[in-house]
Amino acid sequence: MTAYLVQVFTLILIYIIVAASLNLAIGFTGLLSLGHVALFGIGAYTSAILTKDVGVPFMPAFFMAGLLSSLSRLFLTVVTQKLRGDYFAFVTLGFNFLVVALAQNWISLTRGSLGIPGIPRPVIFGLTIKSGGPFLLLTTVVTIGSLFFLYRLTRSRYGRLLEAVRDDSVGASALGKDVYRLKYQCFVVSAFFTGLAGSLFAHFIQFIDPTSFYLSDIIIVLTIVITGGLASLTGSILGGFIILAIPEILRFLPITPEAVGPLRQMIYSVILILILLFRPRGILGKVDID
Amino acid sequence: MLKVENITKSFGGVQAIRGSNFVVEKNKVTALIGPNGAGKTTLFDIIAGFVEPDMGRVLLNGDDVTQLLPHERADRGMSRTFQHARLFRYLTILDHLMMATDNADTKLWQNIWRRERVHCDEYDAILEQFGIKRTLDTPVSDLSYGQRKLLQIAMALRRGHQLLMLDEPVAGVNKVIQEKIEQLLLDLKARGETVLLIDHDMNFVRRLSDRVICLDAGMVVAAGTPNEVLSDPKVMEAYLGK
């Protein structure tokens, strides 16, 4: 039972990093970015390939995961620079399909649908981080570090400027603020932490394939962000625990294992609809969903 | 200070600005007047960089700024307000004034690792000067329409600027705030600020401006001193029709 709880808790923390990063992108720019699961996947594949196939130690691979994820987001930001609203959301959603298609078809690099098994456990300063308690500790440290950075960013003058850009980019431009550069930076920082989370995920599960980063994962992360509330990091933490812990109860109910997955998706969707209908700001949200 | 050369702008089949030319002299208050739909705000937006002209140039101190983005023009010293104050609904008065003060807030790393000491007395003095009887931590969503306009002018002034562009600064505000804004602008005029403003209140324009430019159907139809322009038959015609 303890091992099970440690596993669940580790996954919750990994998803909290992704949700908090996504919240930075959505809550502080006002643009519905749906490409985060692809960035998560890029981080996971980068770290997995570098450590398993290239023999790069975990720490450089971990940071490379963040870096490559950021670079991918930079590319996506350049492409979507002039887009807003639904168009922006659609293109970022399309980015997921592109990355999944690459993962499926670039077989020499990713092994396609076979996936990458046997991703090594992280080794830090000669210590192998085994599953269970040690991996939970590593994930906790990365989560706290990521959240601390995001907290400092969002509570600073820079964070308030991002809020200004989100609320009225024309007004911010008139004050001499380069709104494009600010959005670029915001998305790149957000992608970096998402990439780190992807690396943790790959080394935790030790197997990844293109199905690990499907559309259903966007729904999970988006539900966490919206349930917790936009522009609230505390909301993303709370949302992570609520959204990922509640469906775990299903495991203890007398239902077939095949039904657990679809039922979980249904629960996420119902929570998302209820929140949007009755509490559009989420639990701790600071801004309305326009 | 500012030279607008042969600016033309069409939106679809509608020609909003038709080859407009004028200058805004340094240390003078210039008013841009004209009936609704004359193209005043479009011209303002073109000057500030929010709308790209089809033809023509905007020169600031002799430099062609036509290709510059709005924030680059703001950094060159163009400070503007909008007809309806564009404030950031979840932020406080202090956040707005600090944002207008400098661009230190755009530096990501500096802001993460350092905490800046805020000199509240300095900002309180601005509220006092502008007659905004609110505390600095008041969210701007709690401000009245007039207070929002005052804050916007305070922000425009707070930015380092060479040219102050005010789009209908007294439109829609009550008499008390209108007088307050007028007094503030008269003080600016006495200080030798360069101001370009749009307004419909001819008495206000007459009291404040050194020069008036009248726009009608996207064209400059008259330019000169307030008395010259306001008594020009073409201006009468623009407002009242033939």
Side-chain angles (χ1 to χ4, degrees), chain A residues 1-67:
Chain A
M1 185 66 180
T2 312
Y4 163 72
L5 285 177
V6 167
Q7 295 263 342
V8 171
F9 203 72
T10 305
L11 263 181
I12 288 175
L13 291 182
I14 290 172
Y15 272 92
I16 283 174
I17 300 174
V18 182
S21 309
L22 181 63
N23 207 343
L24 176 71
I26 298 179
F28 287 84
T29 66
L31 293 169
L32 183 58
S33 175
L34 297 175
H36 257 61
V37 172
L39 301 171
F40 185 61
I42 288 168
Y45 269 102
T46 304
S47 201
I49 292 166
L50 284 178
T51 51
K52 188 166 183 282
D53 299 341
V54 186
V56 173
F58 171 73
M59 286 304 280
F62 176 65
F63 286 107
M64 276 303 289
L67 207 61

Side-chain angles (χ1 to χ4, degrees), chain B residues 73-120:
Chain B
R73 298 190 200 197
D75 285 342
R76 292 271 188 116
M78 280 189 189
S79 192
R80 77 165 286 185
T81 66
F82 294 86
Q83 194 174 337
H84 301 289
R86 299 194 84 125
L87 303 179
F88 314 111
R89 58 183 163 160
Y90 297 107
L91 300 184
T92 64
I93 293 175
L94 179 63
D95 293 332
H96 281 75
L97 290 173
M98 285 177 75
M99 215 172 282
T101 300
D102 55 38
N103 277 348
D105 51 4
T106 60
K107 294 176 175 61
L108 172 65
W109 294 106
Q110 189 179 311
N111 278 282
I112 287 172
W113 305 121
R114 277 193 225 151
R115 280 284 176 268
E116 196 179 330
R117 189 167 289 169
V118 180
H119 301 287
C120 286

Side-chain angles (χ1 to χ4, degrees), chain A residues 169-188:
Chain A
S169 59
V170 169
S173 295
L175 290 173
K177 316 298 178 185
D178 184 349
V179 297
Y180 286 123
R181 192 168 67 92
L182 288 162
K183 283 180 184 175
Y184 271 55
Q185 286 178 343
C186 186
F187 283 133
V188 165

